[in-house]
Amino acid sequence: MSISERPTVPVDRPTEDRPRWPFLQEPPGLIVYMSLLLVSALFLFGVAFAMTAFSVMDLVAFTVFAAGAAVCVEGSRRLGTTKHAGLNRDLLGAWWFPVVLLLPPVYSFIIPIPIFLLLQRRTRQTLVYRRVFNAAAVGLSGFLVSVAWHTLVAGDLMKGLSGVAEVSERLATAPGVLTALGCCIVFTVLNTFLVSLALRISSGSRHGLPPLWDRESLLVDVVEICVGITVAVLVHISLFLLPIAVPPILLLQRSLLYHQLQTAARTDPKTGLLNAPTWEQEASIEIARSRAARGRSAVLIIDIDHFKRVNDTHGHLFGDQVLLGVATTISQQLRQSDLLGRFGGEEFVVLLPGSDVDEAWQAAERLRIEVGCMEIAVDRVQVSITVSIGVAVIGDHGNDLVELLTAADLALYRAKETGRNRVCLPGGRSKTDGKVPEPRESQGTGPAPDQAGPQGIIEA
């Protein structure tokens, strides 16, 4: 399996807006992690290269596999590509897997290089170190699995490192196919883990890895593994059978890109959350359902404090890191039934189905505290981020989405006016007792607004 070119937090920006050395703008932990992965890959490649006896047939097979992957890249380029942050899946594993299963392990390091170079030139240019990291992640995952596969066949680790010709014969047996299937699953899990770990380090999340699979991505991985093993079996029978596998793979790639384009039309490209129109549509349906069932629902509007100062002080690339870091932190604190979207700029919006005033208040406080605990580094300085949150509950502050958003926006305005880094409710009439309640608000435990750092951002 292959992850798209963006395992890290920031989205690509025009060349003129990028810093001179964008790699150094990443969190130090991410720089260390990427460097260690690349050094490990280079060291293992050197060991495997020294132990491998190259043959003409292996080189021909490698060239054919690379050409097949190039055809798929060109086909996806003509269909268009999607751009969204986080983990992105493709079907290039259909060509990684045959290399892992049929050729000596050293080729697993080589096969990503021409493919990612082609992606960089033919689909979309991105930051080079991200391409290098992805190639290293694919190569290292493939190499380790290929060594394990060859070792199982040869019964000796040293022979497994150099590769044995008998591996293709195993694909003609049922136990061999099952073992190959297990190896491909390990490859997929390992590669996904390596890139997901980079995403976690980059976002500064303290709550473990982001979700690695949903139903759709799991289906893509299963299809990719099945196609990859099928291609390997065809090549074992005859190299001349490989061309018949290309059209089905292109068709599957087209189907995957169609789904990704549908998803991209619904999501925000910088955070991967629902965009404002999609969130409003789904939230309206949920609120109508709650009203019909005489249930409760709450809306939260979350605004990053002094986000413009973040961009002006540390650059837009770092601002993108903040956006995705906040989005990730919020999403990890919500229930599966909650609806999270980006409302535009530095604002996020959340629908909490079934939540009354107290539950919505507690949820908002939890989000405020968790975002306040985030630590994102820039120039080796830890920058703390705070948010202000406005809360509105159906029945108490409005009866439809427009009224709830208006009330929550007024509450957010109160939170901003009274010092930021706090949760506020609108001062409105309660539907339950007919009295006008006192406005409720909670304040962060940090310094007073006039004692904070510049524009409310506290820097260590």
Side-chain angles (χ1 to χ4, degrees), residues 5 65-77 81 92 96 111-126 131 135:
E5 65 274 13
F65 291 137
V71 170
C72 289
V73 170
E74 186 66 20
S76 64
R77 185 187 72 86
T81 57
L92 288 175
W96 308 144
I111 185 64
I113 297 175
I115 304 308
F116 281 105
L117 284 174
L118 189 62
L119 286 169
Q120 180 74 1
R121 291 185 61 86
R122 298 293 288 171
T123 61
R124 183 172 62 89
Q125 291 189 357
T126 186
R131 296 285 193 194

Side-chain angles (χ1 to χ4, degrees), residues 20-245:
R20 183 177 179 86
W21 301 104
F23 181 67
L24 299 179
Q25 303 297 315
E26 300 285 5
L30 183 64
I31 296 176
V32 172
Y33 172 66
M34 286 184 168
S35 301
L36 286 175
L37 189 74
L38 181 58
V39 170
S40 301
L42 290 174
F43 172 77
L44 292 175
F45 171 76
V47 173
F49 186 87
M51 299 180 62
T52 301
F54 292 91
S55 69
V56 174
M57 287 305 300
D58 287 342
L59 291 173
V60 170
F62 173 83
T63 302
V64 171
F65 291 137
V71 170
C72 289
V73 170
E74 186 66 20
S76 64
R77 185 187 72 86
R78 293 181 178 276
L79 290 172
T81 57
T82 58
K83 304 178 183 180
H84 48 92
L87 297 175
N88 294 275
R89 286 167 163 81
D90 52 47
L91 288 176
L92 288 175
W95 305 103
W96 308 144
F97 295 143
V99 173
V100 169
L101 297 175
L102 298 176
L103 299 180
V106 69
Y107 287 98
S108 297
F109 278 124
I110 303 174
I111 185 64
I113 297 175
I115 304 308
F116 281 105
L117 284 174
L118 189 62
L119 286 169
Q120 180 74 1
R121 291 185 61 86
R122 298 293 288 171
T123 61
R124 183 172 62 89
Q125 291 189 357
T126 186
L127 296 176
V128 174
Y129 69 87
R130 297 181 187 171
R131 296 285 193 194
V132 173
F133 170 78
N134 275 286
V138 171
L140 184 61
S141 302
F143 173 79
L144 294 177
V145 171
S146 183
V147 169
W149 165 251
H150 283 78
T151 300
L152 287 173
V153 174
D156 181 79
L157 178 60
M158 300 307 293
K159 291 183 179 180
L161 283 170
S162 59
V164 291
E166 294 81 5
V167 289
S168 62
E169 302 297 330
R170 287 296 181 95
L171 293 175
T173 65
V177 171
L178 292 177
T179 304
L181 178 63
C183 290
C184 293
I185 292 174
V186 172
F187 177 99
T188 299
V189 173
L190 181 58
N191 186 32
T192 305
F193 174 80
L194 290 175
V195 181
S196 178
L197 185 57
L199 179 62
R200 176 189 180 276
I201 296 172
S202 185
S203 65
S205 172
R206 302 181 298 112
H207 300 283
L209 296 175
L212 303 183
W213 282 278
D214 54 24
R215 183 173 61 182
E216 186 66 30
S217 61
L218 183 62
L219 178 61
V220 171
D221 288 342
V222 170
V223 170
E224 185 182 50
I225 290 172
C226 292
V227 173
I229 293 178
T230 301
V231 171
V233 172
L234 286 174
V235 172
H236 162 66
I237 297 173
S238 173
L239 193 61
F240 295 102
L241 293 177
L242 186 61
I244 69 175

Side-chain angles (χ1 to χ4, degrees), residues 411-452:
L412 176 63
Y413 180 77
R414 290 187 60 247
K416 292 287 189 180
E417 287 294 302
T418 53
R420 292 181 170 82
N421 189 24
R422 62 188 67 206
V423 178
C424 284
L425 286 167
R429 182 174 297 277
S430 170
K431 184 178 179 181
T432 57
D433 55 16
K435 298 179 181 179
V436 179
E438 291 294 327
R440 295 174 58 185
E441 63 182 42
S442 69
Q443 182 175 357
T445 56
D450 57 347
Q451 296 173 336

Side-chain angles (χ1 to χ4, degrees), residues 15 23 50 88 134 157 198 203 211 231 247 258 285 310 336 358 381 399 416 452:
T15 304
F23 181 67
N88 294 275
N134 275 286
L157 178 60
S203 65
V231 171
Y258 176 75
I285 296 173
V310 173
Q336 188 173 4
D358 290 333
V381 176
N399 294 314
K416 292 287 189 180

